[in-house]
């Protein structure tokens, strides 16, 4: 039986290199899906996957990410963004950049693409369509990756957006509601980790002053994430979802990295992808 298939990459800053390993292995094995759902850094990973650019994401995480222009305190003080989204998804990625997205291949690939962001003004989840990625215009990926407080909200068509992980961090229900029967879910935390609220409270207090609705979503993110993971596990028991998650974080977190940890996380993702063919064909 041929199923309608989807893949979700939840992102997670530098931890999201796990998904790069998964997708590079899929490209090597010739595995496609019908739809990709990308959250934050997961949306960036999937842009390269859809363009079939094997190894591109690995280069960004293990080489470019160590430049001060990419992500640094200096970038934060200079641009009000710890991660310089315009540098990553513009200067490096545009047609004249150091490692451009193969836009022709991206557009030609029939795989659908949904990028999730959080509307900063009302806190709602926004599901951008693949068509909103245009030649030298990766604004929706920047919007989905704008970590609150570490980054300013990113404007798309006159509306400010924050990281999609605030509004719909694990969009498994969205994928199933859209009609996909088999869902590969790529996490960048341990599969049984219970997210805590305390880390989100200080940035939520800062955000409250300018974007109260987004601040409220940030305060509730721990619950949204935990509930969506529990739902994914229930669907996994029914055979509808395959959860791929690292067994260790190797010293990485959203904004913290080390070369050895990145390389280990990538390799673990590559190895985890071995489970995909059996899942899609059962």
């Amino acid at each position: 039986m041929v199923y309608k298939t989807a893949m979700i990459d939840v992102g997670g800053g530098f931890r999201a290199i796990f998904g790069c390993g998964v997708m590079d292995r899929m490209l090597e094995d010739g595995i496609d899906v019908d739809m990709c759902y990308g959250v934050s850094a997961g949306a960036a990973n999937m842009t390269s996957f859809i363009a079939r650019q094997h190894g591109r994401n690995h280069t960004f995480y293990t080489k470019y990410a160590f430049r001060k222009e990419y992500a640094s305190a200096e970038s934060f003080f200079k641009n009000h963004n710890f991660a310089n989204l315009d540098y990553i998804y513009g200067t490096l990625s545009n047609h004249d950049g150091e490692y451009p997205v193969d836009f022709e291949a991206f557009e030609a690939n029939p795989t659908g693409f949904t990028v999730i962001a959080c509307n900063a003004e009302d806190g709602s989840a926004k599901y951008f369509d693949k068509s909103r990625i245009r030649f030298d215009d990766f604004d929706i990926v920047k919007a989905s990756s704008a970590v609150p407080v570490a980054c300013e909200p990113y404007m798309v068509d006159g509306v400010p957006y924050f990281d999609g992980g605030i509004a719909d961090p694990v969009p498994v229900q969205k994928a199933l509601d859209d009609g996909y029967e088999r869902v590969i879910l790529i996490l960048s935390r341990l599969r049984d980790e219970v997210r805590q609220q305390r880390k989100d409270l200080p940035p939520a207090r800062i955000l409250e002053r300018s974007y109260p609705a987004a601040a409220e979503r940030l305060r509730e993110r721990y619950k949204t994430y935990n509930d969506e993971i529990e739902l994914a596990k229930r669907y996994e028991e029914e055979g509808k979802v395959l959860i791929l998650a690292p067994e260790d974080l190797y010293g990485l977190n959203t904004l913290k990295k080390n070369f050895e940890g990145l390389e280990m996380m990538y390799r673990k993702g590559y190895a985890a992808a071995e489970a995909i063919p059996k899942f899609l064909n059962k």
Side-chain angles (χ1 to χ4, degrees):
M1 183 173 175
V2 178
Y3 296 103
K4 284 185 72 180
T5 59
M7 178 163 62
I8 297 167
D9 187 337
V10 306
F14 293 116
R15 296 190 316 271
I17 192 171
F18 181 81
C20 305
V22 173
M23 289 179 225
D24 275 354
R25 175 73 172 269
M26 290 173 71
L27 286 171
E28 288 175 21
D29 292 346
I31 299 171
D32 285 315
V33 292
D34 298 307
M35 173 63 76
C36 286
Y37 292 87
V39 182
S40 193
N45 290 347
M46 287 175 149
T47 303
S48 297
F49 174 72
I50 294 169
R52 305 192 196 280
Q53 288 177 280
H54 184 284
R56 182 176 182 270
N57 289 320
H58 182 268
T59 300
F60 271 68
Y61 283 87
T62 60
K63 182 180 176 185
Y64 304 153
F66 287 87
R67 297 174 179 174
K68 66 179 188 300
E69 304 98 317
Y70 192 104
S72 63
E74 184 179 321
S75 173
F76 182 76
F77 292 119
K78 194 172 168 185
N79 310 301
H80 307 291
N81 289 297
F82 182 84
N84 188 340
L85 303 173
D86 286 329
Y87 177 76
I88 302 165
Y89 307 124
T91 305
L92 293 172
S93 299
N94 287 346
H95 79 282
D96 55 354
E98 200 166 335
Y99 203 152
V101 172
D102 185 340
F103 187 72
E104 198 174 323
F106 174 86
E107 232 182 2
N109 189 335
T111 295
F113 193 22
T114 299
V115 176
I116 297 108
C118 176
N119 183 312
E121 294 173 334
D122 65 14
S124 64
K126 172 70 175 178
Y127 302 99
F128 286 103
D129 183 71
K130 183 181 181 179
S131 62
R132 188 53 190 80
I133 290 184
R134 302 163 185 162
F135 182 73
D136 285 358
D137 178 356
F138 303 99
D139 282 358
I140 64 172
V141 177
K142 298 175 191 177
S144 183
S145 303
V147 176
V149 182
C151 297
E152 291 186 320
Y154 203 89
M155 302 292 288
V156 179
D157 303 331
V159 179
Y161 292 97
F162 280 121
D163 192 305
I166 307 172
D168 193 358
V170 190
V172 166
Q173 191 61 56
K174 167 70 175 164
L176 293 169
D177 288 347
D178 286 347
Y180 297 98
E181 300 156 301
R182 291 287 181 273
V183 180
I184 301 160
L185 172 60
I186 303 170
L187 303 181
S188 59
R189 295 174 178 273
L190 310 185
R191 63 173 286 141
D192 294 322
E193 180 181 341
V194 177
R195 192 170 183 129
Q196 304 296 320
Q197 187 185 33
R198 63 179 183 274
K199 280 190 178 178
D200 288 330
L201 292 177
R205 279 194 290 272
I206 296 168
L207 203 58
E208 183 85 54
R209 297 194 282 262
S210 44
Y211 296 101
E216 182 58 28
R217 290 306 290 262
L218 185 55
R219 272 193 293 270
E220 293 299 311
R221 171 167 64 172
Y222 78 103
K223 187 175 186 307
T224 309
Y225 178 88
N226 293 337
D227 288 349
E228 291 188 339
I229 289 291
E230 284 308 307
L231 187 65
K233 287 177 179 175
R234 288 207 296 276
Y235 284 128
E236 187 177 44
E237 287 173 8
E238 295 172 19
K240 295 177 183 176
V241 171
L242 172 67
I243 300 175
L244 303 180
E247 295 161 2
D248 193 299
L249 300 185
Y250 307 102
L252 306 177
N253 68 25
T254 306
L255 301 175
K256 183 180 165 194
K257 63 189 179 297
N258 66 81
F259 182 81
E260 293 77 11
L262 289 165
E263 200 57 56
M264 283 298 295
M265 194 73 123
Y266 174 83
R267 290 178 191 174
K268 293 296 182 181
Y270 186 93
E274 187 178 353
I276 293 174
K278 184 180 175 186
F279 168 70
L280 294 182
N281 294 316
K282 69 183 179 184

